[in-house]
């Protein structure tokens, strides 16, 4: 921390000033929620034309009435849309209900019980203690799924170009119980990094080195969520096809952060073997997904170009918010050695690292001032951040004036925790 010129008295005076600022913020009695990456109402409004877009015409191009039962894979037009989002052929995609997270959960349940390809060995078979590689900081809900199925989680650090692949490969060599790995390859949650071509190429080959039944869960939730120029991402499935490892890549995406967060369309993609195995489960649990909603999405967006044009409007709403976060962090904390943070070019989050050991204190101080942050540790497996330093900021939902206030509180809390830490360390 850069307080070398402050003697003990000066430090005390500075702490008192920041404490006074914190008390003043507490007395405002605001109630601001910075926890989840929710689209703002203005973003949801962009897709309001979904209502009414069908105008009484419920038929797909092949004449199917979407109001009826059936069509387990989703309608062909929606599968094509998912294929364009994920960069695969439509036959490698199924279009389902509103949540990709649900598909991930179901896929893991299927892998644990029946085996990842729908056949043995299942991840829960016999004495096997199946383990998952968890790049982190990462998405808390991925880690919750692993916990729910008692899949032991092994943290792997992120590098700025995706997971540390030397570490991933070493772990896979050493431990035959490792059966899977989470990946959020573009604008990763929460670090906002996009995996480099080299990272993606190495991930595509992992199954050659891993135990049979190893799977990469490729959650491309932010595939079209650029704020500026389009950020390219290597095509992991194509690469895997070249290496003969395509069964190991299971991909997910949804329109939750494109259209309606609670009423979008989710996609799962993979090899024929992967989808055939999973279809057996789907066919038992459902007679078919909500095809009417799928048709609405296809009519509104048409294709990937339509989605990209729509996402430009999202970007116009997101950029100013991320700009507020960046400006306030720079103005309040720049060059002070009180933390470091990301400057995302897309996605939904800013990742902030406090000085080691201070994240939970910052979260607590913020709560006292009416700002709710994701609990410290949530971005790590078992909610354990070994450095107690990572905090995920989610700027999308708050209005710009609320965001200004939220950042004022956040910056003040980081300052206070950092200065108190400097005092106790002196
Ligand atoms: N995957 C990631 C990485 C996310 O950040 C989120 C939401 O924040 C989801 C999945 C949720 O997706 P869905 O709404 O399709 O279930």
């Amino acid at each position: 921390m850069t307080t070398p010129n402050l003697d003990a008295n000066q430090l005390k005076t500075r702490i008192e000033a920041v404490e006074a600022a914190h008390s003043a913020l507490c007395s405002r009695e605001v109630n601001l929620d910075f926890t989840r990456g929710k689209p703002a109402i203005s973003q949801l409004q962009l897709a309001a034309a979904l209502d009414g877009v069908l105008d009484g015409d419920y038929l797909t191009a092949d004449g199917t009435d979407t109001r009826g039962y059936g069509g387990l894979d989703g309608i062909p037009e929606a599968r094509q849309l998912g294929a364009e989002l994920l960069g695969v052929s439509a036959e490698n995609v199924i279009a389902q209900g509103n949540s990709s997270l649900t598909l991930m959960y179901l896929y893991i349940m299927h892998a644990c019980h029946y085996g990842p390809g729908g056949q043995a060995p299942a991840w829960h078979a016999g004495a096997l203690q199946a383990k998952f590689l968890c790049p982190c900081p990462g998405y808390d809900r991925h880690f919750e799924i692993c916990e729910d199925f008692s899949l032991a989680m092994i943290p792997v650090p992120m590098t700025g170009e995706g997971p540390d692949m030397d570490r991933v490969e070493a772990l896979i060599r050493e431990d035959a119980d490792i059966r899977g790995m989470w990946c959020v390859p573009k604008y990763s949650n929460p670090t906002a990094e996009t995996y480099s071509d080299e990272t993606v190429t190495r991930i595509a080959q992992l199954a050659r080195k891993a135990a049979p039944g190893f799977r990469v869960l490729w959650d491309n939730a932010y595939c079209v969520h650029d704020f500026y120029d389009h950020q390219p991402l290597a095509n992991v499935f194509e690469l895997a096809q070249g290496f003969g490892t395509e069964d190991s890549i299971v991909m997910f995406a949804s329109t939750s952060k494109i259209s309606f967060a609670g009423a979008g369309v989710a996609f799962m993609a993979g090899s024929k073997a992967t989808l055939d195995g999973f279809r057996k489960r789907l066919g038992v649990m459902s007679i078919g997904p909500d095809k009417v909603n799928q048709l609405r999405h296809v009519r509104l967006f048409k294709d990937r170009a339509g989605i990209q044009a729509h996402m430009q409007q999202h970007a116009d709403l997101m950029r100013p918010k991320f700009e507020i976060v960046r400006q306030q962090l720079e103005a309040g904390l720049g060059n002070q050695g009180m933390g470091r943070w990301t400057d995302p070019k897309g996605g939904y989050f800013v990742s902030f690292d406090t000085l080691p050991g201070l994240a939970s204190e910052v979260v607590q101080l913020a709560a006292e001032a009416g700002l709710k942050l994701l609990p410290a540790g949530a971005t790590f497996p078992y909610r354990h951040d070994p450095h107690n330093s990572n905090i995920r900021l989610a700027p999308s939902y708050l209005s710009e004036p609320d965001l200004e206030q939220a950042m004022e509180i956040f910056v003040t809390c980081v300052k206070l925790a950092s200065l108190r830490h400097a005092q106790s360390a002196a």
Side-chain angles (χ1 to χ4, degrees), residues 36-37 98-102 104 139 141-142 184 189 219 221-222 253-257 261 265-266 349 392:
R36 309 277 359 158
N98 73 321
S99 166
S100 61
L101 195 69
T102 303
M104 294 174 226
Y139 180 36
R141 293 188 190 271
H142 285 164
V184 183
N189 175 352
D219 178 1
Y222 301 108
S254 78
T255 68
S256 292
K257 285 164 182 172
V265 179
F349 304 103
R392 187 184 82 174

Side-chain angles (χ1 to χ4, degrees), residues 144-414:
E144 280 173 25
I145 294 179
C146 279
E147 265 194 289
D148 218 40
F149 290 104
S150 304
L151 295 169
M153 290 181 272
I154 305 175
V156 175
M158 296 292 273
T159 62
E161 298 191 352
D164 178 340
M165 290 307 296
D166 289 343
R167 180 101 190 98
V168 166
E169 287 162 0
L171 283 163
I172 281 179
R173 261 196 312 273
E174 287 158 17
D175 191 340
D177 288 348
I178 294 174
R179 294 304 154 107
M181 174 176 173
W182 288 110
C183 292
V184 183
K186 191 163 165 181
Y187 302 130
S188 204
N189 175 352
T191 58
E193 66 207 75
T194 295
Y195 294 11
S196 67
D197 290 358
E198 191 201 326
T199 302
V200 178
T201 308
R202 290 170 77 175
I203 288 172
Q205 298 178 68
L206 284 175
R208 286 174 156 183
K209 302 162 188 163
F214 173 82
R215 294 292 183 268
V216 174
L217 271 72
W218 192 257
D219 178 1
N220 210 344
Y222 301 108
C223 54
V224 286
H225 298 66
D226 308 285
F227 299 159
Y228 303 95
D229 298 334
H230 168 67
Q231 175 117 49
L233 171 72
N235 188 323
V236 71
F237 196 69
E238 246 172 51
L239 287 164
Q241 282 173 318
F243 297 125
T245 54
E246 66 269 27
D247 287 349
S248 71
I249 308 294
V250 190
M251 308 166 86
F252 303 89
S254 78
T255 68
S256 292
K257 285 164 182 172
I258 297 173
S259 59
F260 293 160
V265 179
F267 306 99
M268 174 172 152
S271 68
K272 181 172 179 331
T274 296
L275 294 187
D276 280 350
F278 191 64
R279 277 184 184 109
K280 290 188 190 145
R281 311 284 91 68
L282 274 184
V284 176
M285 75 179 100
S286 168
I287 306 174
D290 180 347
K291 299 185 296 301
V292 174
N293 193 33
Q294 294 184 1
L295 188 62
R296 292 195 312 162
H297 278 75
V298 174
R299 291 261 173 88
L300 185 67
F301 294 124
K302 298 188 174 54
D303 51 20
R304 185 179 172 115
I307 287 190
Q308 272 169 336
H310 184 81
M311 292 311 288
Q312 298 269 336
Q313 300 178 66
H314 277 258
D316 291 344
L317 295 170
M318 293 289 257
R319 265 191 313 270
K321 295 189 177 181
F322 279 75
E323 189 60 15
I324 288 172
V325 174
R326 191 178 63 76
Q327 278 171 1
Q328 296 231 17
L329 290 172
E330 272 174 17
L333 300 173
N335 296 323
Q336 301 205 37
M338 292 183 177
R340 56 199 171 100
W341 53 91
T342 55
D343 182 14
K345 303 289 180 267
Y348 259 73
F349 304 103
V350 174
S351 181
F352 187 96
D353 285 320
T354 66
L355 295 175
L358 300 189
S360 40
E361 191 179 337
V362 170
V363 171
Q364 173 60 31
L365 288 167
E368 289 165 18
L371 174 64
K372 215 165 142 197
L373 295 166
L374 201 62
T379 52
F380 283 76
Y382 307 107
R383 291 162 290 282
H384 176 65
D385 173 356
H387 302 295
N388 186 16
S389 73
N390 187 253
I391 298 177
R392 187 184 82 174
L393 305 179
S396 56
Y397 192 75
L398 295 179
S399 67
E400 290 179 25
D402 281 353
L403 190 53
E404 300 269 4
Q405 286 208 63
M407 288 311 297
E408 188 184 354
I409 295 172
F410 182 73
V411 165
T412 305
C413 296
V414 172

